[in-house]
Amino acid sequence: MAGRKWVKGLLAVVLALAMIFAPQAAMPASAAKSLSQLQKEQADLKKKQAEVAARLKTLKADKAQKQQYKAALDTQASTVQSQIDVLNQQINTLDADISQKESQIADKQKNIDANYEQLKQRLRALYLTGEASNLEVILSAKNVVDLADKTEAIQAITTHDTNLINTLKSDMDSIKAQKSEIETNRKSVAEARVALDTKQGELTSLVNETKAVIAEISQNESSANQENAKLAEQRKKADAAIDQWYKDYYASQKGTGGSGGYVSKGNFGWPLPGVTNITSGYGYRWGSLHKGIDISSAGVYGKPIVAADSGKVMMAGWGNYGTGYGGYGNVVAIDHGGGYSTLYGHCSSVAVSKGQTVKKGQVIAYVGNTGDSQGAHLHFEIRVNGVAKNPLNWFSR
C-alpha cells in the first residue's frame, strides 16, 4: 500500500515537471519584438511620413513663392544693372567733357599768354617814347595829309590796344567759367561714383540673396526628400516585420481553432454588396504600400459590409495606434483559418464583437469615414499568413 502511494507521488511530480517544461505554442519563436512593439513602430513611422509629406507639400508651395521671389529679384537686379550702365555712361561723358574743357583752357591760355606778351611790348614801347601824347603827335604833323595819316595811325593803335585788352578779358572770363563747369562736373562725377558704388553693392546683395534663395530651396527639398526616402525604407521594413509576425503567428495557430474551427479555402465573397467601384487600388503610393483596396460610390455611407468568408472576429471596434489598427477608425478583422484573414476599415459602426464567430455574407459593419479617411469608403484587405495581398486576385471584374 505504501509502495503504491510512493509510485503515485512520483507520477505527480513527473507530470508537474512535464507541464512546466512543455513547449509553449502561443507566440512565434522568430519574433524578436512583440506585435504591439512592431505595430507601434509602424504607427510612429506612418505618423512621421505624414508629417514629412505635409512638409514637402508646404515646401512645394514655398518653392513656388520663392521662385516668384527669385524672378522678382532677377528683374530688380536687371534694373539695377541698367542704372549702373547709365551711371557709367554719365561718368564717361563727364570725364570726356572735363578733358575737352581742360584742352580748350590750355589753348586759350596760350592765346592769353601771347596777347599779354604783345600788350606788354606795346606798353614798353610807349614807355620808351617818354611823355609823348597823342596831341604832340598830331601837332607835329607837317601838313593835312600827314595829320590825317598820324590821326588814323593813333586810332588804329588805340583800337588794337582796346581789342587786345578786351580779348584778354574775354578769354580770362571764359577760362573762369570753364573752370567752374569743370569743378561742377567733377562734383557730379564724384556723386555718380558714390551712387555707382551703392548700386554695385545693391546688385551684389541681390545676386547673393538670389543664390541664397535657390540654395535654400534645393537644401530644403533635398533634406525632405532624403528624410522621406529614409522613412519609406524604415516603413517598408516595419511592414515586413509585421507581415512576418503574422506569418509566424498563423503557422503557430494551425490546429488550435483560432478561426473558430473553420478552415478557409480562399473562396471569398465581395464585402460590399451592390458597390463595386474601386477608388484606390492595392500597391505602393506616397512611399508606402496601400495594403488593400478602397471601395466607394455616391451614397455609400451607411451601407452594410458583410464578411467575405466565415471565421472568428479578431478585432472589432476603434483601432488605436500601436495596436496594428491605428488609422483604420472603426475596424473589423476576421481570422478565416487556413492562414487567411480579412480586414474592413473606416466603418461608421461595427455589428460584431471580438471573439464572435461569423458566417460568410453576415453583416459585420457599416460603411463610414472614420480614422485616416478622406470620404466615405470601405478599405478591404486580404492577408495570407499575415502578408497583405491584392484582394482583386480573388475576384473577377
Side-chain angles (χ1 to χ4, degrees):
M1 190 72 175
R4 288 182 180 178
K5 288 183 178 180
W6 180 83
V7 171
K8 287 183 179 179
L10 181 59
L11 286 171
V13 172
V14 171
L15 287 171
L17 289 172
M19 291 178 65
I20 291 172
F21 294 104
Q24 302 295 315
M27 290 294 290
S30 62
K33 295 182 180 179
S34 68
L35 177 60
S36 61
Q37 287 175 321
L38 291 172
Q39 290 170 335
K40 188 176 187 308
E41 288 179 10
Q42 183 190 46
D44 289 342
L45 288 170
K46 184 177 180 181
K47 184 178 179 181
K48 286 181 181 178
Q49 269 194 309
E51 291 172 355
V52 173
R55 187 150 62 92
L56 277 171
K57 185 177 180 181
T58 302
L59 279 174
K60 286 181 180 178
D62 189 43
K63 180 180 180 180
Q65 292 179 349
K66 286 185 177 178
Q67 289 288 11
Q68 291 177 354
Y69 182 52
K70 179 190 174 297
L73 287 176
D74 288 341
T75 301
Q76 193 171 358
S78 177
T79 301
V80 172
Q81 184 61 60
S82 297
Q83 292 174 332
I84 289 172
D85 293 340
V86 170
L87 285 170
N88 276 321
Q89 290 174 2
Q90 289 178 354
I91 290 171
N92 291 336
T93 300
L94 289 170
D95 284 340
D97 189 57
I98 289 172
S99 297
Q100 183 182 9
K101 281 183 169 55
E102 287 177 340
S103 177
Q104 290 173 353
I105 286 174
D107 292 339
K108 287 181 180 178
Q109 189 64 51
K110 290 179 182 178
N111 292 333
I112 288 173
D113 292 341
N115 289 333
Y116 184 60
E117 186 62 30
Q118 186 178 357
L119 182 61
K120 284 196 299 182
Q121 290 177 1
R122 164 72 178 145
L123 292 173
R124 183 170 177 273
L126 289 174
Y127 174 77
L128 291 175
T129 58
E131 298 297 327
S133 64
N134 291 337
L135 181 60
E136 290 176 342
V137 173
I138 292 171
L139 292 174
S140 65
K142 297 177 180 180
N143 49 48
V144 174
V145 174
D146 187 28
L147 177 62
D149 291 339
K150 290 182 182 298
T151 302
E152 186 177 355
I154 290 172
Q155 288 177 345
I157 292 170
T158 302
T159 301
H160 178 270
D161 291 344
T162 302
N163 290 339
L164 186 60
I165 292 171
N166 288 336
T167 299
L168 283 170
K169 183 179 179 182
S170 175
D171 286 345
M172 292 178 70
D173 288 342
S174 176
I175 286 175
K176 183 178 180 181
Q178 285 181 318
K179 284 185 175 181
S180 177
E181 287 180 14
I182 287 174
E183 290 305 316
T184 301
N185 287 347
R186 288 190 191 281
K187 184 178 179 181
S188 297
V189 167
E191 291 174 351
R193 290 193 186 281
V194 171
L196 179 61
D197 291 340
T198 301
K199 290 298 180 183
Q200 288 283 14
E202 187 178 336
L203 179 60
T204 300
S205 296
L206 287 171
V207 170
N208 290 338
E209 186 174 356
T210 302
K211 289 180 179 178
V213 166
I214 296 303
E216 184 182 359
I217 291 172
S218 300
Q219 179 61 34
N220 288 342
E221 274 196 320
S222 176
S223 176
N225 283 324
Q226 286 177 4
E227 186 177 356
N228 190 50
K230 182 179 178 181
L231 286 173
E233 186 62 28
Q234 291 176 344
R235 175 78 181 277
K236 185 178 179 181
K237 290 179 180 178
D239 290 347
I242 290 178
D243 288 345
Q244 184 61 44
W245 193 98
Y246 273 106
K247 185 176 181 180
D248 293 341
Y249 167 79
Y250 281 110
S252 71
Q253 290 295 306
K254 286 182 178 179
T256 63
S259 59
Y262 179 77
V263 179
S264 176
K265 302 297 182 182
N267 298 319
F268 295 108
W270 191 251
L272 191 54
V275 181
T276 58
N277 183 50
I278 297 174
T279 55
S280 182
Y282 173 93
Y284 281 94
R285 62 181 187 184
W286 305 313
S288 62
L289 178 64
H290 185 230
K291 294 186 175 182
I293 57 175
D294 293 342
I295 308 168
S296 183
S297 69
V300 74
Y301 188 91
K303 286 187 176 295
I305 301 167
V306 300
D309 202 352
S310 300
K312 191 174 183 179
V313 177
M314 303 162 60
M315 168 64 184
W318 187 264
N320 293 312
Y321 280 105
T323 65
Y325 301 102
Y328 286 110
N330 285 319
V331 59
V332 174
I334 303 172
D335 182 352
H336 302 289
Y340 291 104
S341 66
T342 54
L343 180 144
Y344 313 77
H346 308 304
C347 308
S348 60
S349 62
V350 300
V352 293
S353 57
K354 183 178 179 180
Q356 181 180 340
T357 300
V358 296
K359 296 292 184 182
K360 183 176 182 179
Q362 178 180 334
V363 175
I364 57 172
Y366 298 92
V367 176
N369 187 28
T370 57
D372 296 341
S373 172
Q374 302 293 327
H377 71 284
L378 167 63
H379 175 82
F380 177 61
E381 294 181 10
I382 295 179
R383 288 176 177 262
V384 180
N385 294 319
V387 180
K389 302 291 183 180
N390 188 348
L392 295 183
N393 292 340
W394 283 267
F395 301 97
S396 59
R397 300 188 66 203

